Amino acid sequence: MSATAEKLSIYERIGGEKAVDRLVQAFYDHMDALPQAAEVREMHGPELTEIRKVFRNYLTEWTGGPALYSPVKGHPRLRQRHLPFAIDDARRDAWMACMIRALDDTLGDTPARRELEGNISKLADWMRNRA
């Protein structure tokens, strides 16, 4: 990785706002389509407009882009916010299956994409709250 690329955020390296928008769209499209994601999809409720916006804002900020999430929602407290939902290995894996397909669809195989996938995988592991 060049010295210039090391200074850029993942947000900038993957393509910024448009890339995050495409990623979120593809993620929820896969959640709707993949049978193994049915339980995870059900947790989101029937209408996804607001959750898509929240997730886009979170991913934007989390990857180093503009602060769109915290000014509205405060500190993410992701684990605390997700405690009402049973997240076990199967649900974590289903969520990640949707995300990996979305990454494949939108970002291809780049160092930034691999780094982002690794970071998201660690986050998904941490979100598990049931055996």
Side-chain angles (χ1 to χ4, degrees):
M1 182 182 309
S2 72
T4 303
E6 287 180 17
K7 293 179 184 178
L8 296 176
S9 66
I10 291 178
Y11 177 80
E12 293 166 311
R13 290 170 42 215
I14 65 170
E17 179 181 2
K18 289 180 181 180
V20 172
D21 287 346
R22 285 190 309 269
L23 178 60
V24 170
Q25 180 68 40
F27 171 75
Y28 284 107
D29 288 349
H30 286 296
M31 191 177 287
D32 278 335
L34 292 176
Q36 70 263 38
E39 288 183 1
V40 176
R41 172 59 182 89
E42 190 176 300
M43 291 177 181
H44 290 79
E47 175 52 46
L48 292 176
T49 302
E50 184 60 25
I51 194 65
R52 284 176 190 264
K53 180 180 175 186
V54 170
F55 191 43
R56 178 185 54 87
N57 290 349
Y58 174 78
L59 277 181
T60 295
E61 189 168 334
W62 187 70
T63 58
L68 302 177
Y69 181 90
S70 57
V72 176
K73 294 283 197 177
H75 188 281
R77 299 183 327 263
L78 288 183
R79 196 142 201 278
Q80 180 183 353
R81 290 180 195 264
H82 287 80
L83 281 176
F85 305 101
I87 303 172
D88 57 11
D89 288 344
R91 288 182 175 148
R92 178 260 183 221
D93 292 349
W95 191 94
M96 278 303 300
C98 297
M99 181 54 71
I100 289 169
R101 282 175 173 81
L103 289 165
D104 288 344
D105 292 349
T106 61
L107 299 182
D109 186 25
T110 66
R113 176 266 162 88
R114 289 190 297 275
E115 182 178 344
L116 179 58
E117 182 180 336
N119 292 344
I120 288 172
S121 181
K122 289 175 192 172
L123 183 62
D125 287 340
W126 185 73
M127 296 301 292
R128 286 183 292 211
N129 57 30
R130 304 290 194 284

